[in-house]
Amino acid sequence: MISLTDEDARSASERLSGGCDTMEQLLNGLLDSKGRVAEDVHAIRKLGKTLRGGFSLFRLKDSIKEIQAIGRLLSGPRDAVSRLSTWGKIGWEDDAPAGAAILGLLDQQTHSAARRPPPETIAWCQERVAAARKNLQELPVEALAERLAKGEKKLGKQAGKRCGKLDHDAEEDFHDARKAIKAYLGALKFLPETSVTPDPKLVDLAEILGDENDIATLSVWLEDHGFTADFVPTLWKKLKNARSSLRKQAIRDADLLANTRGG
């Protein structure tokens, strides 16, 4: 378990509280986004993942739920952009009419999603941020350092445990590993750089798992919108092969990471 001073703990708490302030500012910016809704939502959700890591570090489950609710509420615009981006990376050209139909619908939904949330929705999100920050501020100052050290140990152990299950090749294992790694990496951003340095291999693994999840999400969307294997079999074969390749790479990288850490 890492050793942290009271000053380290106070600094981490202040940075996390400041992150909540930034989240409130970004949410307020959605009220006058001037056409940058997708970009602003992406910034909010990205910050939200970091904040959830920070609250996990402080072991504040209720605060994690508060921030998570915001991400879910604003998932539409970002998910639409992500699906369109993932489609562009697939490079499938076997059926021009089907490809045009998919691209057209993805593009349409991306534009439709780029609308500002109503003021009442933004106000509700800001209440969630305020509640999350309040939980942090109510923690006893004298207990912060020990709480952070235990939180870092638990998050690191959980990430390692989740990565160790990837060779089972089960759907939920890849999803759980991605979430655990993101939580751990997000948490480390609030600790002194001298205490824990994230392994570059872990950062790379998070990217691979993110790409795998993007393809999984696009696959669900295709299925829901009628673009099944009955109509576009070569597309589904390409998607399956791409996911399989990413999963194999993730398993190899997880094994390498475990060996580097001594198992």
Side-chain angles (χ1 to χ4, degrees):
M1 189 166 66
I2 62 172
S3 177
L4 296 172
T5 67
D6 289 341
E7 181 59 33
D8 291 334
R10 284 194 295 271
S11 177
S13 177
E14 289 171 1
R15 287 200 298 275
L16 184 52
S17 181
C20 290
D21 294 342
T22 301
M23 174 75 86
E24 288 180 329
Q25 293 169 9
L26 289 171
L27 285 166
N28 193 55
L30 281 178
L31 297 173
D32 185 27
S33 190
K34 296 188 173 79
R36 300 188 308 275
V37 174
E39 291 85 348
D40 290 347
V41 167
H42 176 55
I44 290 170
R45 296 191 73 203
K46 184 176 181 179
L47 175 58
K49 292 172 183 177
T50 299
L51 294 182
R52 292 206 306 270
F55 284 121
S56 294
L57 187 62
F58 281 91
R59 304 165 72 193
L60 290 171
K61 294 182 179 180
D62 288 343
S63 292
I64 296 169
K65 292 177 182 178
E66 298 283 5
I67 301 301
Q68 188 177 52
I70 299 171
R72 288 175 175 173
L73 188 149
L74 298 176
S75 64
R78 181 56 196 165
D79 287 351
V81 172
S82 179
R83 286 192 297 266
L84 182 60
S85 175
T86 302
W87 174 254
K89 297 175 184 177
I90 295 299
W92 180 73
E93 299 178 349
D94 292 0
D95 185 334
I102 293 169
L103 177 59
L105 190 55
L106 285 169
D107 190 59
Q108 181 190 60
Q109 292 188 356
T110 299
H111 283 88
S112 297
R115 296 178 179 176
R116 290 191 295 273
E120 295 82 2
T121 300
I122 299 300
W124 186 84
C125 288
Q126 290 177 327
E127 289 175 4
R128 306 278 65 73
V129 179
R133 182 175 50 219
K134 184 173 182 290
N135 292 334
L136 173 66
Q137 294 173 339
E138 290 178 346
L139 289 176
V141 176
E142 62 274 10
L144 292 182
E146 182 179 0
R147 180 179 284 263
L148 259 66
K150 289 182 177 179
E152 186 277 333
K153 181 179 179 180
K154 182 178 180 180
L155 288 170
K157 185 177 180 179
Q158 187 174 53
K161 182 179 178 180
R162 298 298 189 190
C163 289
K165 291 184 176 181
L166 289 180
D167 57 0
H168 298 174
D169 203 25
E171 188 86 23
E172 64 272 14
D173 289 334
F174 286 87
H175 181 65
D176 290 343
R178 180 178 59 86
K179 291 196 300 182
I181 293 173
K182 282 192 174 183
Y184 183 56
L185 293 177
L188 294 186
K189 294 179 181 179
F190 295 95
L191 295 176
E193 293 182 3
T194 54
S195 59
V196 182
T197 302
D199 192 319
K201 296 185 185 68
L202 191 63
V203 177
D204 291 342
L205 179 55
E207 290 295 326
I208 293 171
L209 291 172
D211 290 342
E212 192 275 340
N213 183 70
D214 286 342
I215 295 178
T217 302
L218 176 62
S219 298
V220 171
W221 182 91
L222 289 166
E223 184 81 32
D224 289 345
H225 288 78
F227 299 104
T228 63
D230 292 333
F231 297 103
V232 283
T234 60
L235 171 59
W236 280 90
K237 182 178 180 179
K238 192 175 186 70
L239 292 171
K240 181 180 179 181
N241 289 340
R243 286 191 72 189
S244 177
S245 178
L246 287 168
R247 286 188 171 194
K248 289 177 181 178
Q249 182 63 54
I251 293 171
R252 287 195 296 269
D253 286 4
D255 286 342
L256 181 60
L257 189 64
N259 292 332
T260 301
R261 292 184 172 186

